[in-house]
Amino acid sequence: MKKKIAFMFVLLSFGLLFVTACNKPEAAGGQSLAVNGKAKYVFLFIGDGMSMAQINAAEVYSTARQSSDIEVTRLRFTQFPVSGLTTTHDAGTFITDSASAGTAIASGKKTLSGVINMDPGRTQNFKNLAQYASESGRKVGLVTTVTLNHATPASFYGSVPSRGDLYDLGVQLANSNIDYIAGGALAQRRGKNGDKQDAIEIAVSNGFTYVDTRAGFNALQPGVGKVIKVNEVLQDSEAMPYDIDRKSGDLSLADLTRKGIELLDNPKGFFMMVEAGKIDWAGHANDAGANINDVLALDAAIAVALDFANRHPRETLIVITGDHETGGMTIGFAGTQYDTFFDRIALQTKSYVAFDEEVLKPYKARVNQSNARLDDLLPAIRESFGIDFNSLTAVQKQEVEFAFQRSMGNQQVRSFAEDKYLLYGGYEPLTIKLTQIMNQTAGIGWTSFAHTGVPVPTFASGIHQEIFGGYYDNTDIFFKLASAMNIKVN
């Protein structure tokens, strides 16, 4: 009799396990998701334009600047216990942009490039994860190194038919339930023509505290309410500076993340999206030095989240992904064959933007074209990129001189626009030629000045980390995060 009861108990147990498994929710790709318990605190880190080449380059560089050993110094997030691979195509192309990729991650829906949280017909708005998180009682924070209404952060509070509708996005942010947003400026806050009501004024009238100084940032305390923080130091297109250009004492991505935790922490938890947006911008310009340093800055911000997770190990989930790859970066260049010399990247002290703004632009303003001489800039070139012009090959010297003449507007070397794009991506010819030489001598190659369609890696650590393993679409990240947070998606 006892054996019969035990056997029936085993059968019943297996039956319950089967029913439980069959009733688990599924991601868009059909993967079963865990539902036991919930992630009270969720960090989503997005390296804009970041795939494995950018990550591995940062790891190789981290070793090369310290020793000649053939190994990689692992980043914090590549040591996470779970990793997956994520496809990035959108509704119209295999090579997505940040608007459609951001929409996929934030709302679980596919749309067209340039569209934020709307269907391809641009008639239906999508509900995003930040809205769901806010409705669940969690506070919501967004951090970025680019402008606050750029495509990725905007995907977590806005819906527009075109990512270029910056003023509309600014107004939507001003009317949102975002508790903390920090990064670059709010672009076109008074509209394209400067004739509309200031979106920051609208935000302040809706209860936001606006801060644009370091002192004001330091003074922010829990209980302050909703916050818009604009970095005191701005660079290209009103974004935060590249980390390679960040001065001592200037705020970093890690600083903004740390303050976000301080302000958002509460008994009901929070959701925070942190974007390293200028990994993408450096990729567009094929600037490996700026790119690598911003990946390392992202890893430093992740360290802040890990420190928090160590204090809340049973309630915290940290996920890292990219929205797409930018530049077609690879470790390997034909000119160096099987060799790499990543220690040479450490000689670069300025991004392409800083060189333009601090060296080339002032020179062009004060020197007449007919009097311009490349020799005048050689000391600054050596200081900024570690390039000794006299040590270059004859071909490289010719290419640098040619690019210098193009930057100075010499009519004799001016070419068709498409030729200039293929050679320099529409950037300053001299600056891009210098970064190209830096890349090539280090053994780094690029295929494009735009995005590519390769998958991106996704890493996870914490409660429900296991559901982020495997090969899945970027829309699945939304469903996985919602499931981990025990949020029912409408």
Side-chain angles (χ1 to χ4, degrees):
M1 183 66 179
K2 289 183 179 179
K3 290 183 178 180
K4 185 176 181 180
I5 293 174
F7 179 72
M8 291 179 65
F9 177 78
V10 170
L11 284 179
L12 180 61
S13 298
F14 273 111
L16 288 172
L17 287 172
F18 177 78
V19 170
T20 301
C22 290
N23 284 305
K24 286 184 178 180
E26 293 186 346
Q31 181 177 350
S32 180
L33 303 182
V35 294
N36 295 326
K38 67 178 180 180
K40 179 178 177 180
Y41 307 104
V42 174
F43 295 88
L44 172 62
F45 288 88
I46 299 177
D48 199 308
M50 183 182 76
S51 190
M52 270 315 305
Q54 288 77 13
I55 295 168
N56 195 218
E59 294 184 323
V60 173
Y61 169 76
S62 295
T63 296
R65 65 182 177 179
Q66 300 178 44
S67 75
S68 59
D69 294 341
I70 305 302
E71 61 181 39
V72 296
T73 300
R74 297 283 297 277
L75 300 178
R76 295 172 180 86
F77 65 89
T78 62
Q79 299 178 66
F80 277 14
V82 175
S83 61
L85 202 59
T86 306
T87 53
T88 63
H89 62 278
D90 66 23
T93 176
F94 282 107
I95 301 178
T96 188
D97 84 325
S98 292
S100 53
T103 296
I105 296 171
S107 72
K109 303 286 200 313
K110 292 288 189 185
T111 192
L112 299 175
S113 290
V115 180
I116 295 179
N117 281 331
M118 296 186 75
D119 69 300
R122 299 174 175 87
T123 59
Q124 177 188 356
N125 290 347
F126 298 150
K127 190 173 181 179
N128 66 68
L129 188 63
Q131 292 171 307
Y132 281 111
S134 182
E135 290 176 359
S136 74
R138 295 172 174 86
K139 290 189 176 182
V140 175
L142 305 176
V143 177
T144 181
T145 54
V146 295
T147 47
L148 303 181
N149 44 353
H150 211 264
T152 302
S155 297
F156 291 87
Y157 65 77
S159 297
V160 289
S162 171
R163 61 184 291 176
D165 299 332
L166 296 174
Y167 180 73
D168 290 345
L169 288 170
V171 172
Q172 289 181 38
L173 171 61
N175 290 311
S176 73
N177 289 324
I178 300 300
D179 296 285
Y180 171 76
I181 184 166
L186 188 68
Q188 295 183 16
R189 52 189 275 186
R190 295 180 179 86
K192 289 183 180 179
N193 301 319
D195 57 353
K196 296 185 177 180
Q197 184 181 2
D198 189 335
I200 294 296
E201 292 180 357
I202 298 174
V204 171
S205 68
N206 286 334
F208 279 93
T209 296
Y210 176 69
V211 175
D212 61 0
T213 65
R214 177 64 186 264
F217 174 79
N218 291 340
L220 292 172
Q221 298 292 328
V224 66
K226 298 189 295 183
V227 171
I228 294 177
K229 161 59 183 170
V230 169
N231 201 51
E232 189 170 23
V233 181
L234 300 175
Q235 199 179 55
D236 51 333
S237 302
E238 298 185 290
M240 291 178 65
Y242 284 103
D243 208 67
I244 194 173
D245 300 323
R246 183 170 57 87
K247 303 294 189 282
S248 177
D250 290 346
L251 291 173
S252 66
L253 187 64
D255 292 326
L256 299 184
T257 303
R258 186 178 295 105
K259 179 62 73 171
I261 293 172
E262 179 186 346
L263 299 182
L264 296 174
D265 194 9
N266 75 100
K268 292 189 176 181
F270 60 74
F271 166 75
M272 189 189 307
M273 189 286 296
V274 180
E275 181 203 22
K278 295 186 77 171
I279 296 173
D280 171 68
W281 292 17
H284 278 289
N286 293 177
D287 185 342
N291 189 286
I292 288 170
N293 277 277
D294 269 40
V295 172
L296 295 175
L298 173 65
D299 194 50
I302 292 167
V304 175
L306 282 169
D307 182 62
F308 177 85
N310 288 335
R311 301 194 301 272
H312 304 273
R314 298 178 182 274
E315 302 173 296
T316 306
L317 172 65
I318 306 174
V319 176
I320 293 89
T321 192
D323 57 349
H324 53 73
E325 196 277 342
T326 302
M329 187 187 197
T330 187
I331 298 177
F333 172 66
T336 59
Q337 298 184 39
Y338 290 96
D339 288 327
T340 57
F341 307 94
F342 271 52
D343 56 309
R344 297 183 184 179
I345 296 296
L347 300 175
Q348 183 174 341
T349 60
K350 286 183 173 66
S351 70
Y352 72 99
V353 170
F355 184 80
D356 283 348
E357 294 180 348
E358 298 172 14
V359 177
L360 188 55
K361 186 177 179 180
Y363 180 78
K364 291 170 69 174
R366 71 174 183 268
V367 177
N368 185 278
Q369 176 185 310
S370 60
N371 296 325
R373 297 170 61 252
L374 177 61
D375 286 351
D376 296 338
L377 295 179
L378 294 184
I381 289 173
R382 184 163 191 162
E383 179 185 353
S384 302
F385 297 102
I387 296 175
D388 178 4
F389 183 77
N390 293 325
S391 69
L392 299 180
T393 66
V395 171
Q396 288 174 328
K397 289 178 180 178
Q398 186 179 32
E399 290 177 340
V400 172
E401 181 66 48
F402 188 70
F404 172 75
Q405 294 295 336
R406 281 190 165 182
S407 283
M408 296 306 298
N410 190 314
Q411 297 294 325
Q412 293 180 342
V413 297
R414 184 172 293 174
S415 66
F416 294 112
E418 58 266 29
D419 178 44
K420 185 178 180 181
Y421 177 79
L422 289 173
L423 290 175
Y424 311 115
Y427 297 92
E428 275 288 359
L430 175 62
T431 309
I432 295 305
K433 177 50 61 181
L434 294 171
T435 60
Q436 287 173 349
I437 290 174
M438 280 289 297
N439 297 334
Q440 291 167 3
T441 56
I444 296 173
W446 301 87
T447 67
S448 177
F449 293 106
H451 300 173
T452 68
V454 300
V456 298
T458 298
F459 304 89
S461 176
I463 184 171
H464 297 317
Q465 61 188 24
E466 67 281 353
I467 65 177
F468 290 89
Y471 187 40
Y472 47 87
D473 190 58
N474 56 3
T475 52
D476 287 330
I477 292 177
F478 165 83
F479 293 100
K480 292 172 185 293
L481 287 170
S483 177
M485 297 165 74
N486 198 26
I487 290 174
K488 184 177 180 181
V489 176
N490 298 335

